[in-house]
């Protein structure tokens, strides 16, 4: 048994010309993907976060991120001066 909302959606779809059905199908597929179970993606993201957190606290206290970035840029791109 269809809900009222699904019946309304079907009625709207039936009024759309066949030429435009590609767009309707594309939208419906995107909606389906957005509502799908993302358990595997969440698990992968959590594992990646755990991997990053393993390195937490491994830098010396005098570590200068800006200086390291500057050195890395100079190494990669050369000195613009």
């Amino acid at each position: 048994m269809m809900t009222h909302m699904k019946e309304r959606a079907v009625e709207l779809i039936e009024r759309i010309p066949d030429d435009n059905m590609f767009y309707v199908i594309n939208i419906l597929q995107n909606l389906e993907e957005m509502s799908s179970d993302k358990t595997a993606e969440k698990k992968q993201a959590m594992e990646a976060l755990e991997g990053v957190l393993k390195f937490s606290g491994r830098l010396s206290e005098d570590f200068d991120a800006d200086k390291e970035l500057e050195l890395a840029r100079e190494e990669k791109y050369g000195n613009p001066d």
Side-chain angles (χ1 to χ4, degrees):
M1 181 174 161
M2 269 196 277
T3 65
H4 178 67
M5 292 295 283
K6 285 185 180 181
E7 287 176 4
R8 186 166 176 234
V10 169
E11 289 171 5
L12 288 170
I13 289 170
E14 287 175 343
R15 289 188 290 197
I16 295 173
D18 286 345
D19 299 2
N20 295 330
M21 287 309 294
F22 168 79
Y23 302 109
V24 174
I25 291 169
N26 193 355
I27 291 168
L28 291 173
Q29 286 174 333
N30 288 334
L31 284 171
E32 182 181 42
E33 186 176 317
M34 286 173 29
S35 64
S36 69
D37 185 18
K38 305 282 186 190
T39 305
E41 290 176 18
K42 288 178 186 176
K43 181 181 178 193
Q44 184 179 7
M46 288 302 295
E47 289 172 354
L49 176 61
E50 289 171 1
V52 169
L53 292 176
K54 286 180 184 177
F55 295 100
S56 176
R58 290 193 178 185
L59 299 174
S60 63
E61 292 197 21
D62 63 342
F63 179 77
D64 184 351
D66 292 330
K67 183 177 179 181
E68 291 296 324
L69 179 59
E70 181 182 335
L71 290 172
R73 285 181 177 155
E74 284 179 11
E75 183 179 313
K76 185 169 185 173
Y77 302 111
N79 193 346
D81 294 336

